């Protein structure tokens, strides 16, 4: 429940402010959703993780997906996306190394062949990881109908 602010007005959470921005909800509009026991257990678990009531979680999630604020992905796709993020971070670090090598070469030429080879190998591996993960995500992506 919202607590009163110092000025006496009620504070509301970001979730409710977002909902209010869309206009008042007509509480007479209801939708019945049916689940098997196994499906309901999954939905209850997800609602608990979000610290929401089941009906609120189902409604908010469905609305976010419908508005394309959230794109549902499988656990496998989440793992692949995490791999892409790691590869991107690695590529960023490698880019920093390449900049440092270029600076050293332009300054006094104190970069060894081994350092240059190691950096270039890391670049190739990072690009390969990103390519593999990207292709996997593309294979698993379902086209919108």
């Amino acid at each position: 429940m919202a607590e009163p602010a110092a000025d006496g007005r009620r504070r509301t959470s970001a979730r409710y402010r977002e909902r209010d921005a869309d206009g008042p909800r007509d509480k007479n509009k209801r939708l019945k959703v049916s689940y098997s026991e196994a499906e309901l257990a999954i939905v209850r678990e997800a609602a608990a993780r979000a610290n929401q009531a089941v009906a609120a979680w189902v409604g908010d999630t469905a609305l976010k997906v419908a508005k394309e604020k959230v794109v549902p992905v499988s656990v496998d796709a989440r793992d692949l996306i995490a791999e892409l993020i790691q590869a991107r971070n690695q590529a960023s670090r490698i880019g920093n190394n390449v900049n440092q090598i270029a600076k050293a070469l332009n300054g006094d030429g104190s970069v060894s062949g081994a350092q240059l080879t190691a950096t270039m190998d890391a670049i190739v591996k990072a690009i390969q990881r990103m390519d593999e993960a990207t292709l996997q995500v593309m294979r698993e992506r379902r086209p919108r109908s």
Side-chain angles (χ1 to χ4, degrees):
M1 181 159 189
E3 297 176 16
D7 60 4
R9 293 183 300 163
R10 287 181 68 187
R11 287 188 216 158
T12 57
S13 70
R15 184 181 315 139
Y16 293 108
R17 284 191 302 272
E18 179 182 323
R19 191 182 294 159
D20 292 343
D22 294 335
R25 283 194 170 180
D26 183 354
K27 296 291 184 175
N28 294 324
K29 306 295 182 205
R30 296 186 185 267
L31 178 67
K32 183 177 179 179
V33 181
S34 300
Y35 295 106
S36 69
E37 284 298 323
E39 291 168 337
L40 184 57
I42 293 167
V43 170
R44 282 183 175 144
E45 184 179 316
R49 281 194 308 267
N51 197 26
Q52 287 185 289
V54 173
W57 183 86
V58 169
D60 287 346
T61 303
L63 198 54
K64 286 176 184 174
V65 170
K67 289 181 176 183
E68 296 184 353
K69 290 183 179 183
V70 172
V71 178
V73 295
S74 68
V75 172
D76 293 338
R78 261 186 286 186
D79 292 343
L80 289 169
I81 290 168
E83 174 73 16
L84 280 171
I85 291 168
Q86 285 179 336
R88 182 178 175 272
N89 291 338
Q90 183 66 21
S92 177
R93 287 197 242 12
I94 292 167
N96 186 35
N97 290 345
V98 170
N99 287 338
Q100 291 173 359
I101 289 171
K103 183 178 178 181
L105 287 173
N106 288 330
D108 61 7
S110 64
V111 175
S112 71
Q115 289 172 313
L116 190 55
T117 300
T119 299
M120 297 311 284
D121 287 345
I123 291 170
V124 170
K125 286 178 185 173
I127 291 170
Q128 287 172 342
R129 284 178 63 203
M130 284 189 287
D131 285 346
E132 290 168 9
T134 301
L135 289 172
Q136 187 66 29
V137 169
M138 289 171 64
R139 273 187 232 113
E140 291 186 4
R141 199 177 107 194
R142 287 178 274 166
R144 290 184 180 258
S145 48

